């Protein structure tokens, strides 16, 4: 077993035992990123020298007896997280020249744990996309089939972990952007409860929905990473001041008698039959582990996507008004006057999907339309939350597919925004309600990975991770590597 | 819901986005499709439903009214397109 095929937990154990140094494994990952992985386009920026420096510092820290469990373990950050003195592009021409003057809270936390940042991963522009095709830096390829998209928006992070270019990566999830690419690339990805992980230094898309989280190969790794990432931060006004459990120590519970709901709306029209077959098999595995299934209803599921495509664009149109060509980021050549400076800097700096969403949001918030769109969508949001709260009266977790189909081909949905939006049919409602959700590998359809989604009640990440971990103890889907990257 | 080129132009102006004349029809068609899609919300009866703005419905935290940020002008202006004497430069606004 080569070092780069190890999980975070295995790397942590090897570092603790002195089997290898952080510098050795960091070098091995950097070689893989530049070598076998280069064609995937998973990284926007590789920070090789800084990584080796951080790895040597981690090795020193370990020698001096000061190491934590993750000290010396490499990871990659989605390029939405600000990294001090390192380009932070958010996948956009607008920030192609932007070097962040400070670190995001998540980046600081990972540094404090002694983790080594390998670089910044590719993503849909400003996290707006479900395929990674809206990136200014070009699409990422799915390591399982390079004709296919990796999903999005955290597609570079998902592809990097799947191809063993990094043992773990950070992602952000506004409507499914951790879980959907995790599903399409055959890895494990956790979207925590809204407020669990600080949004400070995470470039804002839709502030009432955005949440950062870990992406790795196993639930155990996600537990280790969430422990490092989560926690109160006064610089994020919606950060929740609540103790962070030792998630990795709580993966021991039996699933005997666990009540899991199957929302009938997640198994209806639009679900690929091959994906349905994989999810059925996973339900069978869980039954053998003692889980009791009940059919539930999340009646407003279908209206979650329309509600989201009002709320997210409305918030984005406001958040992205900060990109004005004055203080940072792209500025057009020779502006005639101030309005021309704003309009051309933004028109040239943003790509088509970002402009579409800004315009939808601007329209929805404009005089005379506010009640019909934004207010209506927020009322839908209440109904969607109520559906989940009613379900959690009777069940401990909810289970279903992460995405209705396996990875589609690059270019296949690029011309049809509405069709693209429907790939987040099962993930979006979770963000509207602010709940935690996890996607884990459960099999294959047509040779492409299929993800299983578990949804928990607020702050129930421990139970989610335990349920995912038990499944990974009796199945081996999470250990499969794409042929070209085994 | 169907938007005209003129309406798209007006929305783009409100958003301070320059859109090429040639791209207007495509934006009109895409934005119309998105707005028709979100009109599906009208199928739900939301009479009397209180809008939900924050998933946990938590109030904003208060803090002491004290200065916590240190002055980092040079660091922040180092990434600006154009500065002079500590000021951000834009085209002349007042003749």
């Amino acid at each position: 077993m080569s070092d780069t095929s190890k999980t975070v937990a295995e790397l942590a154990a090897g570092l603790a035992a002195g089997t290898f140094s952080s510098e050795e494994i960091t070098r091995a990952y950097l070689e893989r990123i530049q070598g076998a992985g280069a064609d995937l386009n998973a990284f926007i920026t590789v920070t090789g020298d800084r990584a080796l420096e951080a790895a040597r510092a981690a090795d020193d820290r370990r020698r001096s007896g000061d190491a934590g469990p993750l000290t010396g373990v490499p990871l990659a950050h989605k390029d939405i997280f600000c990294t001090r003195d390192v380009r932070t592009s958010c996948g956009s021409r607008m920030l192609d020249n932007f070097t962040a003057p400070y670190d995001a809270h998540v980046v600081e936390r990972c540094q404090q744990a002694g983790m080594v940042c390998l670089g910044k991963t590719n993503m849909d522009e400003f996290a707006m996309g479900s395929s990674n095709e809206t990136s200014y830096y070009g699409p990422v390829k799915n390591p399982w089939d390079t004709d296919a998209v990796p999903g999005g928006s955290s597609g570079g992070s998902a592809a990097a972990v799947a191809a063993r270019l990094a043992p773990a990566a950070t992602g952000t999830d506004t409507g499914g952007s951790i879980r959907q690419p995790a599903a399409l690339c055959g890895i494990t990805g956790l979207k925590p409860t809204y407020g669990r992980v600080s949004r400070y230094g995470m470039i804002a898309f839709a502030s009432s929905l955005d949440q950062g989280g870990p992406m790795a190969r196993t639930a155990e790794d996600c537990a280790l990473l969430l422990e490092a990432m989560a926690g109160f931060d006064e610089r994020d006004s919606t950060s929740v001041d609540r103790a962070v459990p030792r998630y990795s120590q709580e993966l021991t519970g039996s699933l005997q008698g666990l009540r899991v709901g199957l929302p009938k709306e997640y198994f209806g029209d639009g679900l690929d039959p091959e994906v349905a077959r994989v999810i059925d098999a996973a339900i069978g595995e869980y039954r053998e582990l003692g889980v009791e299934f009940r059919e539930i209803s999340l009646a407003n599921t279908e209206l979650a996507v329309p509600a989201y495509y009002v709320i997210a664009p409305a918030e984005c149109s406001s958040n992205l008004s900060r990109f004005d060509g004055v203080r940072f980021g792209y500025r057009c050549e020779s502006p005639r006057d101030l309005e021309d400076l704003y309009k051309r800097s933004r028109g040239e700096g943003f790509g088509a999907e970002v402009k579409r969403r800004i315009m939808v949001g601007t329209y929805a918030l404009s005089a005379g339309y506010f009640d019909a769109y934004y207010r209506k969508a927020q009322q839908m949001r209440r109904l969607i939350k109520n559906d989940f709260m009613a379900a959690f009266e009777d069940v401990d977790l909810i289970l279903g597919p992460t995405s209705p189909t396996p990875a589609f081909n690059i270019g296949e949905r690029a011309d049809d925004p509405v069709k693209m939006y429907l790939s987040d049919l099962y993930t979006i409602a979770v963000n509207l309600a602010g709940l935690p959700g996890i996607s884990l590998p459960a099999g294959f359809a047509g040779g492409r990975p299929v993800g299983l989604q578990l949804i928990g009640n607020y702050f129930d990440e421990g139970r989610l991770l335990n349920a995912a971990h038990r499944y990974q103890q009796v199945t081996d889907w999470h250990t499969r590597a794409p042929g070209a990257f085994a | 819901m169907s938007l005209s080129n003129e309406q798209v132009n007006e929305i783009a102006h409100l958003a301070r986005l320059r859109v090429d004349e040639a791209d207007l029809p495509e934006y009109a068609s895409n934005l119309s499709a998105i707005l028709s899609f979100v009109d599906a919300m009208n199928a739900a009866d939301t009479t009397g439903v209180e809008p939900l703005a924050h998933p946990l419905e938590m109030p904003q935290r208060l803090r002491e009214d004290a200065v916590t940020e240190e002055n980092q002008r040079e660091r922040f202006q180092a990434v600006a397109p154009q500065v002079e004497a500590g000021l951000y430069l834009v085209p002349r606004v007042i003749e």
Side-chain angles (χ1 to χ4, degrees), chain A residues 84-85 98-99 101 194 208 232-234 236-240 303 305-307 309-310 325-329 331 335 337-339 341-344 346-347 350 352 355-356 358-360 362-363 372-373 375-383 385 417-418 421-422 432-434 458-459, chain B residues 1 3 7-19 23 26-27 30-31 33-61 63 68-69 72 75-77 79-83 88-93:
Chain A
R84 185 171 169 136
D85 298 333
F98 178 66
T99 302
Y194 182 76
S208 79
F232 177 65
D233 176 19
E234 64 181 15
D236 170 3
S237 67
T238 58
S239 173
V240 175
L303 297 183
V305 186
Y309 277 99
V310 172
V326 174
R327 290 156 302 147
F328 49 83
R331 172 181 281 201
D337 52 31
L338 190 56
E339 184 166 301
L341 167 74
Y342 291 150
K343 284 188 171 176
R344 277 202 294 127
R346 290 163 60 78
F350 293 135
K355 282 188 268 198
R356 277 198 285 270
I358 290 174
M359 286 196 271
V360 168
T362 301
Y363 181 75
Y373 289 104
R375 192 180 146 82
K376 178 83 181 176
Q378 288 198 317
Q379 289 175 312
M380 287 306 309
R381 191 170 184 182
R382 165 91 51 194
L383 296 180
K385 174 177 168 153
V418 171
Y421 297 170
L422 288 170
L432 290 169
Y458 296 113
F459 297 101
Chain B
M1 172 56 69
L3 293 177
Q7 282 173 299
V8 173
N9 227 348
E10 177 58 20
I11 298 168
H13 168 69
L14 290 174
R16 298 297 184 269
L17 285 171
R18 159 116 185 98
V19 174
D23 295 334
E26 198 185 337
Y27 277 107
N30 280 325
L31 296 183
I34 295 167
L35 291 171
S36 300
F37 173 69
V38 306
D39 279 341
M41 289 192 302
N42 294 327
D45 181 6
T46 51
T47 315
V49 176
E50 186 68 17
L52 177 67
H54 182 302
L56 303 174
E57 298 187 83
M58 295 173 79
Q60 289 278 306
R61 217 173 30 249
R63 63 168 175 83
T68 54
E69 290 286 325
Q72 300 185 69
R75 189 164 184 82
F76 292 160
Q77 291 200 330
V79 293
Q82 212 184 349
V83 289
Y88 293 96
L89 294 194
V90 295
R92 181 182 296 277
V93 178

Side-chain angles (χ1 to χ4, degrees), chain A residues 35-53:
Chain A
D39 290 343
L40 294 175
N41 199 25
F43 282 80
I44 291 173
T45 305
V46 180
T47 50
D49 291 343
R50 294 171 70 98
L52 289 170
E53 201 179 304

